[in-house]
Amino acid sequence: MVVNWDEIREQFPAAKRYVYLNAAACSPISKVVLEETRKCYRELLTHGDTIWEEWLKKKEDVREKIATFLNANKEEVAFTVNTSLGMNLIAYMLKGKGDVVTMQDEFPSSTFPWMNLNYRLRFVKPTNYVYSLQDIKRKTTEQTRILVTSHVMFCTGFKQDLVEVGTWCKQSGLIFVVNATQSMGAFPIDVKEADIDFLVFSCHKWLMAGYGVGVIYLSRKWFGSLKYPVVGWQSVKNPDLMDNRRLDLKDDASVLEVGGLQFPNIFALGATLDLLNRIGMKNIKSRIYELNDYLVEDLDRLNVTILSPLDEKYRSGITVIKVKDPEEVALKLRNKGVIVSARREGLRVSLHIYNNEKDIDVFTSELEKII
Ligand SMILES: Cc1ncc(COP(=O)(O)O)c(C=O)c1O
């Protein structure tokens, strides 16, 4: 299928108003996502709660869609609010299992939940922003039982080879925990192929579904052996009984969906998944690489240093450019309608399907004037 990227761009009005190169912070939503969210509120406006059963069914349809997207079983995925909450739930469920090895420059939400529960943490140092399996192995001790990593690092764009690391975790008896917030929607993940035990992500970045919905995946091999840190009336096999004396917990991931859920946001996720599936994840991935290649070529004449690993194995939708005073440069660009983020030593540019080559030309010429 040949994708008409101009047509896709039409779905995202914000991409016309701005040179929006900031998917790694939060993507604008598409018209289909807005429509789905609106529909849900319109139903609540005109029908109140009479529509509850329909929404429950629709929620299950979205669960099916996201499970298929991850090559998971429907029972293995649950909706949460965001990554931070999801990672806390995982850290609580794994309490007492052993020490954690994780990456030095993880996003705080990958690290704080484990610190808060007094896990012993060891941090892997990258080599030229790359965390090789060798680097990870060197940090692992006899006491290590859990490996926590982002699929894509928020501040460098390094992409972890999940299949390589997951296969090694399985061979070594380590529990593999992945934060996919900076990749989900841009790069496919097969939880089975990568032997992932637990996965979390938020949906406002590369999934373009707006704030308020996250997903947690629990491999079914953990069902029945975990102590759930939170439960509520929706955690039991038959919630409609509303029997407060029978704690008959579900045997699947949805046990963590403790009460009434954020239906509009979950349906937004469903709409965005339909859009992504229509385009095809293969096409999306290659478009993102195509745009990033164009950016790297454009930057060539500016003589700047790119901090992100450019090798395809480690490459993502994020390109970090070293600049003096990134905050100041990002602010100046913003004043020109060019939206990027300052992250540590560099300027983080993140390109998604709503971008085009012209956006990149505007960015590089404005950057040239500033630096
Ligand atoms: C890797 C990563 N995880 C999580 C988040 C966000 O966490 P939350 O959705 O809990 O706000 C970000 C960025 O904001 C991120 O880069």
Side-chain angles (χ1 to χ4, degrees), residues 83-110:
T83 301
S84 306
L85 178 61
M87 195 61 91
N88 272 279
L89 294 173
I90 296 168
Y92 270 98
M93 288 189 284
L94 295 180
K95 195 133 178 39
K97 298 265 186 251
D99 294 359
V100 173
V101 160
T102 190
M103 311 305 128
Q104 184 175 265
D105 57 2
E106 280 291 335
F107 189 74
S109 296
S110 294

Side-chain angles (χ1 to χ4, degrees), residues 129-134 136 150-153 157-167 183 187-188 285 289 293 308-317:
Y129 306 101
V130 169
Y131 293 97
S132 68
L133 187 55
Q134 290 314 316
I136 295 172
S150 284
H151 186 197
V152 169
M153 293 296 155
F158 162 78
K159 175 160 63 62
Q160 190 75 263
D161 184 334
L162 293 183
V163 175
E164 183 182 69
V165 177
T167 305
S183 64
F187 300 96
K285 180 179 164 182
Y289 279 146
D293 282 344
S308 308
L310 294 180
D311 185 293
E312 179 154 353
K313 178 173 159 78
Y314 299 127
R315 199 169 183 196
S316 69

Side-chain angles (χ1 to χ4, degrees), residues 8-45:
I8 303 294
R9 189 174 160 91
E10 284 297 314
Q11 274 287 325
F12 297 88
K16 285 206 170 154
R17 181 177 294 257
Y18 303 96
V19 174
Y20 200 98
L21 315 178
N22 217 12
C26 175
S27 277
I29 59 166
S30 59
K31 291 177 189 169
V32 286
V33 163
L34 175 68
E35 201 32 59
E36 199 56 41
T37 314
R38 259 199 191 138
K39 184 166 173 267
C40 187
Y41 278 114
R42 217 181 290 126
E43 284 168 347
L44 195 53
L45 180 81

Side-chain angles (χ1 to χ4, degrees), residues 164-215:
E164 183 182 69
V165 177
T167 305
W168 174 73
C169 281
K170 191 178 180 192
Q171 287 162 0
S172 315
L174 298 185
I175 302 165
F176 190 28
V177 180
V178 177
N179 174 354
T181 302
Q182 289 294 2
S183 64
M184 190 57 60
F187 300 96
I189 292 182
D190 182 327
V191 289
K192 298 279 185 274
E193 192 191 5
D195 268 306
I196 296 172
D197 288 284
F198 299 87
L199 177 89
V200 273
F201 54 90
S202 298
C203 304
H204 59 278
K205 298 178 188 285
W206 300 88
L207 278 166
M208 307 170 287
Y211 286 102
V213 59
V215 171

